[in-house]
Amino acid sequence: MEIAEIQPQLVQEFSKILSSKKLSHAYLFSGGFGNFELAIWLSQAIFCETPGVLPCLKCRACRLIAKGEYADLHLISPDGMMIKTAQIKALTEVFSESGYESNRKVIIIQEADKMHPNAANALLKSIEEPERDSYIFLLTQNENLILPTILSRTQVIKFPKQTPYFKSVLEQNGILPTQAELLCQLTDSIDDAIKMAQTSWFSEGLNKCFQFVKLMKSDPDDAFLYLSALTETFDDKARQQVLFDLLIQLFYQEKWTKKIEKTFEATTMWQHNVRFESCLNYIVLESEKD
């Protein structure tokens, strides 16, 4: 998928920035819908071997960058659950050295919100005192999780979710419209949405969610008994988060404001280590009072 299709407005804006040679040295791309693709496209523009403002996408540099294999492009992502201080400190050597292919260097830090505070502070100097022809792209789905000192020193670019495009791509990949609509709300990544839709647990779990909501409308007692079916499918942390997100979307479709509020509260309880089953009980028991 080309970035011009995913975020046409941002591509147009950055085309003007490239034409005027006013690309800043540090950006924070907020919102996961196409932020990595745009960072790659800008990296291609920076290193492209074909004369012109925009990347040709065909030269050696553009092709290597598309694969993440270009020597002067440095991709940083979490090592386990976080981006560690050692990973960021290693970048100081990158900034101090000459580039292998040119004088330019590009750093793309994925899931920048997962930087350890010490790692974020280590990055500050490179942002505050940038080396010439060095560019940093920080990517996050939620800018509120980024340290204020980082936010204040970068240009923040918001990436709106292009829901109609997102939904159409999912449907072109054989995903049912009802599933596609829900998946658009669950993730900002088209690839992740397609992978999720192709798993047996998601299809099974979605059907159980529909049944659960139906029971909550007709008979909360039966809904309470049905909780074991949900916990059987949504049996780990990642899947349990999906369940809460699905319930919120389904309640939203039904315009059940009270149930949406209770599901948000149950999610917060779960995030604070209250047992998953107890959190689901809370939703059902409270719904009896609606």
Side-chain angles (χ1 to χ4, degrees):
M1 291 166 288
E2 295 185 4
I3 185 59
E5 295 179 333
I6 302 174
Q7 291 289 358
Q9 184 63 39
L10 288 178
V11 168
Q12 184 178 0
E13 292 176 8
F14 273 99
S15 295
K16 294 178 181 178
I17 290 172
L18 291 170
S19 296
S20 61
K21 298 182 179 180
K22 293 183 178 179
L23 190 67
S24 296
H25 77 280
Y27 288 93
L28 176 72
F29 288 173
S30 177
F33 197 67
N35 63 8
F36 180 74
E37 288 82 358
L38 185 61
I40 289 294
W41 183 78
L42 288 171
S43 300
Q44 290 170 320
I46 290 168
F47 293 114
C48 185
E49 298 166 353
T50 302
V53 173
L54 303 182
C56 71
L57 307 180
K58 297 178 181 179
C59 69
R60 172 180 169 275
C62 284
R63 287 185 280 109
L64 287 174
I65 289 168
K67 297 177 182 178
E69 298 176 354
Y70 193 69
D72 293 329
L73 171 65
H74 304 271
L75 301 174
I76 306 295
S77 58
D79 180 4
M81 297 298 293
M82 69 175 62
I83 296 174
K84 299 176 180 177
T85 306
Q87 290 176 270
I88 299 301
K89 285 187 174 179
L91 291 178
T92 58
E93 298 181 10
V94 170
F95 286 117
S96 63
E97 296 172 351
S98 299
Y100 292 99
E101 301 274 356
S102 69
N103 292 327
R104 297 177 176 181
K105 296 173 285 262
V106 172
I107 310 294
I108 299 177
I109 301 180
Q110 299 172 269
E111 298 182 77
D113 49 277
K114 293 184 178 178
M115 277 192 292
H116 187 279
N118 290 339
N121 288 324
L123 183 65
L124 272 177
K125 184 177 181 181
S126 297
I127 295 177
E128 291 173 335
E129 303 174 10
E131 295 290 334
R132 191 164 178 260
D133 291 328
S134 293
Y135 302 90
I136 302 173
F137 299 103
L138 303 171
L139 315 183
T140 180
Q141 291 195 23
N142 187 352
E143 66 190 80
N144 294 322
L145 300 178
I146 301 293
L147 284 181
T149 47
I150 295 287
L151 279 175
S152 64
R153 290 164 175 79
T154 58
Q155 287 204 31
V156 179
I157 306 296
K158 298 183 184 296
F159 282 66
K161 186 182 290 186
Q162 308 292 349
T163 301
Y165 173 78
F166 197 160
K167 188 171 181 287
S168 69
V169 172
L170 296 184
E171 291 179 11
Q172 290 168 19
N173 279 270
I175 297 173
L176 296 174
T178 52
Q179 288 193 14
E181 186 173 347
L182 287 168
L183 285 164
C184 287
Q185 305 304 321
L186 295 181
T187 177
D188 288 336
S189 168
I190 291 175
D191 289 339
D192 288 349
I194 293 172
K195 289 176 184 176
M196 190 181 299
Q198 292 172 341
T199 62
S200 59
W201 74 264
F202 179 76
S203 298
E204 178 185 344
L206 183 57
N207 288 333
K208 289 182 177 180
C209 284
F210 282 126
Q211 179 64 17
F212 177 64
V213 173
K214 182 179 179 180
L215 289 172
M216 289 189 71
K217 291 176 64 178
S218 60
D219 191 336
D221 288 337
D222 285 347
F224 183 82
L225 295 174
Y226 194 73
L227 290 179
S228 60
L230 290 178
T231 57
E232 181 182 7
T233 299
F234 297 93
D235 58 357
D236 63 29
K237 278 285 187 181
R239 295 183 185 183
Q240 289 164 7
Q241 180 65 67
V242 170
L243 172 61
F244 287 123
D245 292 341
L246 278 172
L247 291 178
I248 288 170
Q249 293 305 317
L250 293 176
F251 291 148
Y252 179 80
Q253 290 177 4
E254 297 289 342
K255 296 182 173 59
W256 290 354
T257 303
K258 186 70 172 179
K259 293 179 176 63
I260 294 171
E261 292 174 354
K262 292 304 176 184
T263 305
F264 272 119
E265 292 172 6
T267 305
T268 301
M269 292 162 55
W270 172 75
Q271 290 170 341
H272 287 82
N273 298 319
V274 176
R275 290 178 67 250
F276 180 57
E277 294 83 353
S278 299
C279 295
L280 295 181
N281 290 343
Y282 178 76
I283 296 172
V284 178
L285 292 172
E286 287 295 328
S287 70
E288 293 177 350
K289 303 174 185 178
D290 290 353

